[in-house]
Amino acid sequence: MVALRIHTGHDPTAAIVRDGKIIGDVPEESFSRIKQSNNFPNKSIELYLKMADLENINEVDYIRYSSMTTSK
């Protein structure tokens, strides 16, 4: 089983778990070099799919999406 977690908003990140083991969990800013960006974590997701030996997102069993908005 493969599960992907996607968080957008402040400090976007993605994480992937395969058969109960964490494959990766890194904030998108590690790739974009933009602190506290609001970008969707595309680069994180691409890397984790490769690390989990998946050809595309359709091979993921579960996707959990969350977003957080902050008021100023």
Side-chain angles (χ1 to χ4, degrees), residues 14-26:
I16 195 162
V17 176
R18 183 173 201 152
D19 299 326
K21 296 180 182 173
I22 298 171
I23 303 294
D25 183 10
V26 178

Side-chain angles (χ1 to χ4, degrees), residues 18-65:
R18 183 173 201 152
D19 299 326
K21 296 180 182 173
I22 298 171
I23 303 294
D25 183 10
V26 178
E28 185 70 7
E29 71 181 35
S30 297
F31 301 100
S32 68
R33 302 290 187 215
I34 300 170
K35 288 279 191 186
Q36 301 175 344
S37 76
N38 289 324
N39 297 334
F40 191 81
N42 289 318
K43 299 285 186 191
S44 299
I45 294 168
E46 288 175 21
L47 174 66
Y48 300 149
L49 292 176
K50 288 179 187 176
M51 290 173 66
D53 294 324
L54 303 176
E55 292 192 25
N56 61 55
I57 196 107
N58 294 327
E59 296 180 68
V60 174
D61 298 305
Y62 298 97
I63 298 175
R64 179 175 183 264
Y65 175 81

